[in-house]
Amino acid sequence: MQIASLGIICLIYAATVVNALHPIVIKDNKFFDSVTKNQFFIKGVAYQPRDGHTTDGNKDAIADPLADTTACARDAQLMQKLGLNVVRVYEVDPSKNHDQCMKSFADAGLYLLLDIATPKFSINRKTPEYDTRLYNAYRKTIDAFTKYDNMLAFIAGNEVTNDNTNTLASAYVKAAVRDMKKYIKTTKKNYIPVGYASNDDEFIREAIKDYFVCGDEDEQADFFGVNMYEWCGDSTYEKSGYADRTKEFANYHKPVFLSEYGCNLVTPREFTDVEALYGPQMTDVWSGGVVYEWSQENNNYGLVKIQDGKVELMEDYNYLQKELAKVNPKGVNMDAVSENQQGPQCPDQTENWKVSTKLPPTPSDGACSCMLDTLSCTASDQVSNTMSGNSSAVGDQIDMLCGLVSCDEISGDAENGRYGAFSYCSGTEKLSYLYNLYIQENKDGKCEFEGNAQITTPKRKDVKHCADIKTSMDSSGGDSSDQSSDSWAQPSYSTDPFISFTLLMLGALVFMAGR
């Protein structure tokens, strides 16, 4: 009796494991289920409900829908009934616990497509920089989510370059893609793809799609998303522009999908584009898409209305459910695909596309700390106290000094591919560097700057070797140059629970059989 009961327990546990979602992998320009080897098509929805996710007046707080366990459990079931398999989330707080929400989505057959940038931690398209602050924030988000079986992919930037006036920002985003790919490969048990989501601007669409997947493989985005709203109302494959976009990506060597779609110029949305997106005209090129968006907000794209924790299904939900039920995209088996496609040539610099293919360096806290240790004049506590969190105030100080001394070592030039040795350091660190440089070049100058500077005793003699200090990634996912405690640190991987449980049960069976 005891052995039989134990066997039933084993079978129940094994059944729960069998039902777990399989990792999704990339081969050539397609996604595949790594176990069944069937092609995987994204049937997703953007999920960033604002109801109930207040920030209590804190402008720096993050509204994290994956920390709301009640809402996740409720919405996951409705998404499953809708026929979805992916949820895209734009903003999370990696310091919070996401276990229950991720389980709710996994139980409903939903993978997560996660943006790692947030309004607080993102590259500014007008004055782009990729610094240690962003580098560390992105890694913390990755640390928090790579442990989940239903983690599909990370998006390192969303419409950062959105027209021909800010193409230089793409160099900084692509550098983040490069670094996050390396970080995952060198510190995580399983590799999760990293890509980019672009808008559909007619002046840059050709250049940007090639830019993010050209050059060295280590620098290429693993996939490319397009936020496209060309199919409005009762349109067609040809009239909407879908046919033209499909031709443009016909020879693309990375997976491409609609990272947002669902034009609302005509309402209710009947989603007649779903049949085309998952039909034979598009499935050889496109890997599905993500409908924008789940909840009804001020921009009127919602599938459901959420108020006081209660959900009301809208007409858009019903239309989308009807259209998704019709489609059954026919893919290929992973073993039948060969990776023979070559990446495109990097786009030439033109009037509409000005960014260099040379990317910014990987940010390093160690190099910045080393540089500070060589200075005899640094930013004072007054800067930290009065300008903390006010990047514009620090920026004004830097701009003033850049008119007096060279800023080459702290600046980046993405058009010509030139980046200073300390271009990724924080604003305060850059300001300290300039204070010190000014004093060095002006012997009569005093280390005061209206109380913003202070005299310090250098710990090192030469700043030149500091630029050679690179970020070193250890097995815990940290930077060896900065091993301070971190409230966002994640636990390391443990032995697979199924293996541990199975060994335990086998041991128990052997013991009981011997009695």
Side-chain angles (χ1 to χ4, degrees):
M1 292 294 292
Q2 288 176 315
I3 294 178
S5 299
L6 197 56
I8 292 173
I9 294 173
C10 288
L11 289 173
I12 292 174
Y13 186 85
T16 63
V17 174
V18 170
N19 291 333
L21 295 181
H22 303 148
I24 302 299
V25 297
I26 291 174
K27 187 175 183 182
D28 199 47
N29 66 339
K30 294 173 173 59
F31 293 103
F32 292 95
D33 183 307
S34 60
V35 176
T36 67
K37 297 188 177 181
N38 294 327
Q39 188 174 346
F40 180 82
F41 293 94
I42 294 171
K43 297 177 182 177
V45 68
Y47 186 64
Q48 201 73 43
R50 273 72 98 187
D51 177 73
H53 299 94
T54 62
T55 58
D56 299 322
N58 182 357
K59 64 182 180 63
D60 290 330
I62 293 174
D64 186 348
L66 298 184
D68 189 336
T69 58
T70 301
C72 289
R74 174 199 69 203
D75 295 340
Q77 296 304 310
L78 292 173
M79 291 176 188
Q80 185 181 43
K81 291 179 181 179
L82 188 55
L84 303 178
N85 61 13
V86 168
V87 55
R88 178 183 177 184
V89 174
Y90 296 85
E91 184 177 353
V92 294
D93 182 345
S95 68
K96 295 182 178 179
N97 186 290
H98 304 95
D99 292 351
Q100 193 56 49
C101 273
M102 290 299 289
K103 183 180 185 303
S104 293
F105 286 124
D107 290 345
L110 292 157
Y111 291 87
L112 175 64
L113 179 63
L114 180 61
D115 290 61
I116 60 173
T118 68
K120 182 180 179 182
F121 298 106
S122 59
I123 292 167
N124 186 320
R125 63 170 64 97
K126 294 182 180 179
T127 56
E129 284 186 320
Y130 170 47
D131 56 18
T132 53
R133 178 174 163 271
L134 296 184
Y135 177 70
N136 292 328
Y138 294 168
R139 291 191 302 165
K140 287 169 183 173
T141 298
I142 286 172
D143 286 343
F145 283 89
T146 47
K147 62 183 179 178
Y148 299 115
D149 291 338
N150 57 327
M151 187 66 228
L152 174 65
F154 296 107
I155 295 178
N158 181 68
E159 298 189 10
V160 182
T161 289
N162 62 359
D163 60 37
N164 59 2
T165 67
N166 48 50
T167 60
L168 300 184
S170 286
Y172 297 90
V173 180
K174 191 174 180 180
V177 170
R178 173 202 64 202
D179 292 344
M180 295 308 107
K181 285 179 61 173
K182 181 178 180 181
Y183 181 64
I184 295 170
K185 287 178 180 177
T186 55
T187 67
K188 304 305 175 187
K189 182 179 179 181
N190 298 313
Y191 183 72
I192 307 295
V194 182
Y196 179 73
S198 176
N199 66 327
D200 185 35
D201 182 84
E202 61 179 312
F203 295 107
I204 64 170
R205 62 162 65 112
E206 187 69 24
I208 197 169
K209 76 178 181 64
D210 290 344
Y211 182 82
F212 273 93
V213 300
C214 73
D216 293 340
E217 175 63 32
D218 291 342
E219 297 180 350
Q220 296 178 21
D222 293 318
F223 59 86
F224 191 79
V226 184
N227 299 340
M228 189 158 63
Y229 295 86
E230 293 187 2
W231 189 306
C232 300
D234 189 21
S235 188
T236 66
Y237 176 65
E238 289 77 16
K239 186 170 66 175
S240 65
Y242 275 35
D244 293 333
R245 304 290 82 79
T246 301
K247 290 177 182 177
E248 291 165 1
F249 282 99
N251 296 315
Y252 214 58
H253 77 300
K254 299 288 186 179
V256 60
F257 58 91
L258 299 185
S259 39
E260 289 176 10
Y261 76 97
C263 173
N264 68 350
L265 294 181
V266 178
T267 57
R269 295 179 293 175
E270 296 185 1
F271 293 105
T272 53
D273 49 347
V274 166
E275 185 176 1
L277 179 58
Y278 297 100
Q281 292 173 307
M282 298 182 69
T283 49
D284 189 49
V285 174
W286 300 88
S287 294
V290 177
V291 170
Y292 191 85
E293 67 177 320
W294 179 248
S295 56
Q296 180 74 336
E297 309 294 342
N298 293 333
N299 52 10
N300 296 315
Y301 279 94
L303 300 176
V304 304
K305 287 182 180 178
I306 302 175
Q307 188 170 7
D308 299 327
K310 297 181 179 180
V311 175
E312 175 188 344
L313 303 184
M314 300 180 66
E315 286 184 276
D316 286 18
Y317 179 100
N318 297 322
Y319 277 117
L320 180 59
Q321 185 181 49
K322 178 182 176 182
E323 292 301 318
L324 286 174
K326 293 179 183 178
V327 299
N328 183 25
K330 304 297 183 183
V332 297
N333 186 276
M334 185 167 69
D335 291 339
V337 175
S338 57
E339 297 183 280
N340 296 323
Q341 292 192 55
Q342 298 296 317
Q345 294 292 320
C346 289
D348 294 330
Q349 289 177 290
T350 65
E351 182 178 350
N352 287 326
W353 189 258
K354 297 183 178 181
V355 62
S356 168
T357 57
K358 186 174 182 181
L359 304 181
T362 301
S364 168
D365 284 320
C368 298
S369 297
C370 175
M371 178 267 287
L372 285 179
D373 286 344
T374 69
L375 307 182
S376 58
C377 182
T378 62
S380 68
D381 292 339
Q382 178 171 298
V383 172
S384 301
N385 294 334
T386 63
M387 299 185 188
S388 178
N390 188 351
S391 59
S392 61
V394 174
D396 289 343
Q397 286 274 307
I398 291 174
D399 289 343
M400 179 271 293
L401 284 163
C402 283
L404 303 174
V405 295
S406 171
C407 278
D408 288 349
E409 292 299 324
I410 64 160
S411 302
D413 179 357
E415 183 171 359
N416 294 297
R418 291 195 294 264
Y419 307 96
F422 308 109
S423 58
Y424 47 69
C425 296
S426 70
T428 302
E429 289 165 337
K430 291 179 179 180
L431 187 58
S432 293
Y433 179 88
L434 294 179
Y435 283 153
N436 190 77
L437 183 59
Y438 180 85
I439 296 303
Q440 286 182 335
E441 295 184 0
N442 297 271
K443 300 304 181 183
D444 294 334
K446 296 181 179 180
C447 183
E448 294 177 353
F449 297 94
E450 298 181 344
N452 290 319
Q454 63 186 7
I455 297 173
T456 55
T457 302
K459 300 176 183 178
R460 302 173 186 263
K461 292 183 178 180
D462 189 4
V463 73
K464 292 181 180 180
H465 80 283
C466 291
D468 295 327
I469 298 177
K470 304 300 181 184
T471 298
S472 175
M473 302 171 185
D474 62 19
S475 58
S476 67
D479 180 344
S480 64
S481 63
D482 180 12
Q483 292 297 322
S484 57
S485 62
D486 191 336
S487 61
W488 283 358
Q490 298 297 313
S492 58
Y493 285 96
S494 59
T495 304
D496 186 278
F498 177 64
I499 296 174
S500 299
F501 185 86
T502 303
L503 291 174
L504 178 64
M505 293 298 100
L506 288 174
L509 287 171
V510 171
F511 173 77
M512 295 172 68
R515 292 182 60 183

